[in-house]
Amino acid sequence: MTIAAIEARPIAASTQTPAIEIRHLKKVFGKFSAINDLSLTVNQGEIFGLLGPNGSGKTTTINMISGLTDPTAGTIHVFGHDIAKDPRSVRAILGAVPQETALYEELSAWRNMTFHAELYGVPRPERDQRITRLLELVQLLDRKDSRVGTFSGGMKRRIALARALLHDPQLIYLDEPTLGVDVQSRRALWDYILDLKQQGKTVLITTNYLEEASILCDRLAIIDHGSLIALDTPSDLKQKFGGSVIDLTTKQTISASLIGRLRSIPGITSLVQDGPIINITVAGEQSVTSQVLNLIAAESELDAIAQREPNLDEIFLKLTGSALRD
């Protein structure tokens, strides 16, 4: 699947064992509560995004899913395995691409892959074939003998993804998969991630790029201060929490009294004014455009008007009260 082929992806109810099932998860560090009664389910075969501002609890949650830290309370099951009771089985079916790729830069791409294969017990008769296939997948087979320290940021992310797939994990965790890579590499990585879904893999992503989350993810969980505040498909989040946005530009900056009257129109949930530019958010499918235009026409002329869906940045700001990227 490529970016151009993406369409709305409804998630049907599944009778399969969930890829990840978190119930009443809590994590306390001293007097600080990092995770507060978090419950969510990730279905098999979906790309699931975990979003939140810095300090929201994303990393703590991932560390508990990966078995790197123990919950204070609650349970985590990964493909039916209780992480507290059977961490070895969970690690065997998890492939991770952390933000810091932790590659051996003095070694070649091939040696990095063989070291990982040995670490995860990939059978020797299959090892070379798997490495070759994965290096072809990420278009780095021609650089297999090159030292990883000579690779660009995008190439390092691609080799890290190939390495994570080497032991054929069922669940792949990607932390900021395209952080610091150029636009062309980012698009290529998006295509690789979408191909993983086509192969039946489950992908868990944390990202600070809301465009990335909207394009890749079947569903998004937004957490803040350790609590789940929204969980839905990107399109439904936009509709549920955003409605539509009217962007206006007037010839003259309109008065504060007119802004007050616009704010009082039923259905308008927010209004932001920056000189002659006005952004109005409307709840649900309500139509208030004619009322807005009639009021503005009494005081000023319009230079431009457009109506659109809200973007995820606006939804995120509305839900958390802060921008995702500082």
Side-chain angles (χ1 to χ4, degrees):
M1 182 184 291
T2 61
I3 300 299
I6 299 173
E7 297 178 352
R9 295 158 299 203
I11 301 299
S14 175
T15 58
Q16 294 178 307
T17 300
I20 303 172
E21 188 171 24
I22 296 173
R23 289 292 173 262
H24 305 295
L25 192 64
K26 295 182 181 180
K27 182 63 179 179
V28 177
F29 297 98
K31 295 183 178 179
F32 173 66
S33 181
I35 301 295
N36 305 304
D37 198 26
L38 178 67
S39 294
L40 59 85
T41 298
V42 178
N43 299 320
Q44 289 191 37
E46 74 174 326
I47 301 177
F48 189 93
L50 188 63
L51 307 182
N54 292 336
S56 63
K58 299 191 306 295
T59 300
T60 301
T61 300
I62 293 299
N63 285 343
M64 288 188 283
I65 292 171
S66 305
L68 299 177
T69 188
D70 296 327
T72 303
T75 60
I76 303 172
H77 288 83
V78 179
F79 283 87
H81 300 286
D82 188 330
I83 185 64
K85 298 177 181 178
D86 193 9
R88 184 183 296 271
S89 293
V90 172
R91 294 187 186 115
I93 59 177
L94 172 66
V97 182
Q99 198 170 125
E100 298 296 329
T101 51
L103 297 162
Y104 294 99
E105 300 211 349
E106 294 305 312
L107 298 180
S108 67
W110 188 271
R111 283 297 301 142
N112 267 272
M113 296 287 280
T114 55
F115 179 83
H116 187 81
E118 291 166 3
L119 187 65
Y120 274 82
V122 176
R124 184 173 291 274
E126 301 175 20
R127 188 185 66 188
D128 289 357
Q129 183 180 3
R130 284 197 198 182
I131 293 173
T132 299
R133 178 171 54 82
L134 286 167
L135 289 177
E136 283 179 334
L137 172 70
V138 297
Q139 299 177 11
L140 287 173
L141 186 59
D142 62 333
R143 297 293 302 274
K144 67 183 179 69
D145 296 320
S146 299
R147 198 166 50 85
V148 167
T150 65
F151 286 5
S152 67
M155 292 167 70
K156 288 178 181 178
R157 299 303 279 178
R158 283 151 53 195
I159 192 72
L161 177 58
R163 183 185 62 180
L165 296 173
L166 193 53
H167 61 290
D168 195 27
Q170 295 171 269
L171 172 65
I172 298 97
Y173 162 56
L174 305 172
D175 184 13
E176 296 282 351
T178 61
L179 181 67
V181 306
D182 58 67
V183 173
Q184 184 175 0
S185 295
R186 181 177 300 166
R187 292 280 171 167
L189 283 165
W190 286 352
D191 282 341
Y192 300 141
I193 294 167
L194 290 166
D195 281 340
L196 292 175
K197 176 181 169 65
Q198 293 297 101
Q199 296 168 30
K201 305 292 187 183
T202 304
V203 184
L204 176 62
I205 292 177
T206 57
T207 179
N208 278 344
Y209 295 112
L210 289 169
E211 176 196 11
E212 183 166 83
S214 184
I215 287 173
L216 294 178
C217 296
D218 297 299
R219 290 190 301 149
L220 300 172
I222 298 175
I223 63 173
D224 196 19
H225 296 96
S227 298
L228 181 68
I229 58 175
L231 173 59
D232 216 325
T233 65
S235 60
D236 283 351
L237 281 173
K238 291 175 185 179
Q239 184 60 41
K240 187 183 299 182
F241 295 104
S244 60
V245 178
I246 305 171
D247 295 322
L248 301 162
T249 304
T250 58
K251 288 191 177 297
Q252 302 88 27
T253 300
I254 61 177
S255 64
S257 62
L258 179 52
I259 289 294
R261 279 180 281 160
L262 289 171
R263 290 186 194 277
S264 68
I265 295 175
I268 290 182
T269 57
S270 72
L271 185 152
V272 178
Q273 180 187 26
D274 182 11
I277 299 173
I278 304 167
N279 303 111
I280 297 171
T281 303
V282 182
E285 298 180 357
Q286 298 189 53
S287 179
V288 300
T289 307
S290 60
Q291 297 177 67
V292 169
L293 295 179
N294 288 336
L295 283 174
I296 291 177
E299 189 173 299
S300 181
E301 294 181 38
L302 281 173
D303 264 348
I305 179 171
Q307 191 158 352
R308 59 178 173 83
E309 280 191 338
N311 57 48
L312 277 179
D313 299 78
E314 292 163 330
I315 302 303
F316 192 90
L317 183 61
K318 181 176 181 179
L319 288 170
T320 68
S322 62
L324 186 58
R325 299 192 68 84
D326 293 334

